[in-house]
Amino acid sequence: MKQQKVQEYEYCGICEEPKENGIHLYSMFLCSECEHNMIHTEPREEKYQYYLSKLKNINQSTLHS
Ligand SMILES: [Zn+2]
């Protein structure tokens, strides 16, 4: 019998791709790549608003549950 190890990836809430490494922010999984990108994004950058709106979504769903 062969034992198969199933690698479990979680879907990142920002880039929506299955990633192995990352952190959990509220109910959302944030891959280390996006976490890094977010930290190095300036508030005046367009990307920042995108991250912010993604984060707002998880805040709201946390409040409603
Ligand atoms: Zn990501």
Side-chain angles (χ1 to χ4, degrees):
M1 270 235 246
K2 210 167 95 179
Q3 267 207 337
Q4 213 178 0
K5 194 176 180 267
V6 180
Q7 189 84 49
E8 274 185 58
Y9 292 104
E10 282 191 83
Y11 278 84
C12 170
I14 303 284
C15 62
E16 289 165 5
E17 277 177 43
K19 296 287 169 91
E20 194 181 357
N21 300 310
I23 55 155
H24 283 103
L25 209 66
Y26 302 96
S27 55
M28 192 169 95
F29 175 72
L30 195 67
C31 76
S32 43
E33 243 173 87
C34 288
E35 187 202 356
H36 180 90
N37 287 342
M38 209 150 78
I39 291 167
H40 294 275
T41 303
E42 299 281 322
R44 62 189 149 82
E45 287 184 63
E46 215 173 288
K47 259 192 300 177
Y48 190 85
Q49 295 303 318
Y50 172 74
Y51 292 138
L52 217 66
S53 65
K54 287 276 188 184
L55 291 175
K56 263 185 207 153
N57 287 339
I58 45 160
N59 275 334
Q60 275 166 7
S61 56
T62 310
L63 285 174
H64 285 291
S65 59

